[in-house]
Amino acid sequence: MSKITAQVQQTATATVQEWLSDFDKALQAQDIQRVLSLFNDECYWRDFLTFTWNLKTCEGKDDIQAMLNATLNNAGPSNWQLEGEATQNGDIYDAWFTFQTAVASGKGYLRLKEGKCWTLLTTMQALNDYPEQCNHHRPKGAEHGANKQRETWLESREREEAELGYTRQPYCVIIGGGQGGIGLGARLRQLGVPTIIIERNERAGDSWRKRYKSLCLHDPVWYDHLPYIPFPENWPVFAPKDKVGDWLEMYTKVMELNYWSSTECHNARYDEAAGEWVVKVKRNGEEITLRPKQLVMATGMSGMPNVPKFPGAESFQGEQQHSSQHPGPDAYKGKKCVIVGSNNSAHDIAAALWEHDADVTMLQRSSTHIVKSDSLMEEVLGPLYSEEAVANGLTHEKADLIFASIPYKVLPDFQRPAFEAIKQRDAEFYQKLEGAGFMLDFGDDESGLFLKYLRRGSGYYIDVGACDLVASGDIKLRSGVGIERINPHSITLTDGSELDADLIVYATGYGSMNGWAARLISQDVADKVGKCWGLGSDTTKDPGPWEGELRNMWKPTQQEALWFHGGNLHQSRHYSRYLALQLKARMEGLDTPVYGLQPVHHIS
């Protein structure tokens, strides 16, 4: 480190230490005006549970003042300490810190601009009186001494499996045993929350195994670890679906989760008088009624498959399937295949069909954001999630918090420069695609993939090769047209042309997660909690008003004791911590006054 660099770091560290000390004193004195004087006029405070028992972003001093007026007395924050050295990034000082509340330990990330706070992240890491059963609190595993009533670890585990759900009720039931439900189940296990995970497939990991055979993760390994057990160092950068499935099955076993496979939830209702859910499931042919206090829908970020209805569809003589039902390309050699859609699944399926000598046409009805995988990794993900980031001491836990520290309101400003660099880097690639007639976009405000994902969860493809086939014409493209009607052996398009078809794959995405609530609970409850996902950005498929956090995800909803958990592997891993802490706090009877429960603006 040069002398100048060391001096800059010393200045940044001293400035942050002084700010934290002043902040601590003002909070201890409950002097909210003094607290506000430490913030810039443009400022953001994103809190995960420590003050709000919610996932809540306050934007501007008025929002922060209202939040502190409501929460400061109960939160009891103290002992704000700088962790490590502060750093300088342009005119911004960045720093990690730790703190305490009345019931928990916290960790956060701070950005100062001109000596005052621009962005502040505060997150709950652990409940003081109810730590996870790991590290210093790990179980012994063996009972030393003599005991005629000794129960071995295996016997204890077998007894738990025999009792839970039958003679003893779980505190929590998770509907959905994919990576989201499994990761959350592991968090709850470590916190001692009796939990059953309900999964209709025969084995953990089947939700991956049963997808089309070419499916691989498009996110790199450094971004995708599960809680507690990271992928090994020889794990492929982009994990194939069957490898993911086997990992999930192994994880479920070694984390000793109460995982009910071959079990389907038929319906659920909330018993207000008893303060519990009545959940009816069928397990291996047996009808069972569970009565948990908390119910989590972990059916993935996506809700019910979105299958459009077109006139004449019932007359089609070939095969029609949603992308989630597509078995793979093997049976379609020489067949005329039409893929409706142009997202990740559409491109993956189209490329695999082409590789198996099918005649493939992609029907693109609206513009799509495309980004090459290598470019995404190097320009966007690399600084936080890469081998180089790990070598620089940036664990995925730290990377998760850095990413979370950027308020959604300003995230587009952070993302645009990277995607502008990608536009320049891959200009020739984009020209070829557009030359083939492909309709491209970078989001409504040019902010790229992550914002499109957060706002609508659709409308993009991370290119791993299919785009070259589209550009060359090997995958035929019809863009800017829709389907007028479906005939016995063809599709009539809205421009009057006709496509012969033996197979139609609807790569048309999914509805909101509350569609599962409508199916399993009631439409009234689905409407009560409202739409899941989206920020209220008033961009395509994400109607306003601005909400500042993802709707209904990982936090309290308008329906008591009903929670939603999902997202990609990174989100499931990171946010499962906060959802598990909320559930544990309620189980232990802690006071959890929720500040800023989101009103419902959209029901689907």
Side-chain angles (χ1 to χ4, degrees), residues 314-328:
E314 69 285 350
S315 72
F316 187 63
Q317 298 297 300
E319 290 184 59
Q320 298 179 79
Q321 55 201 210
H322 187 264
S323 58
S324 61
Q325 302 163 320
H326 180 65

Side-chain angles (χ1 to χ4, degrees), residues 188-202:
L188 292 170
R189 180 78 176 172
Q190 298 312 299
L191 286 166
V193 178
T195 301
I196 292 174
I197 303 167
I198 302 296
E199 171 57 44
R200 61 186 174 186
N201 283 311
E202 296 83 11

Side-chain angles (χ1 to χ4, degrees), residues 284-305:
N284 297 321
E286 181 185 1
E287 302 280 352
I288 302 169
T289 299
L290 301 172
R291 294 183 173 272
K293 297 294 186 183
Q294 309 287 340
L295 183 65
V296 180
M297 306 295 292
T299 50
M301 186 206 81
S302 305
M304 310 296 295

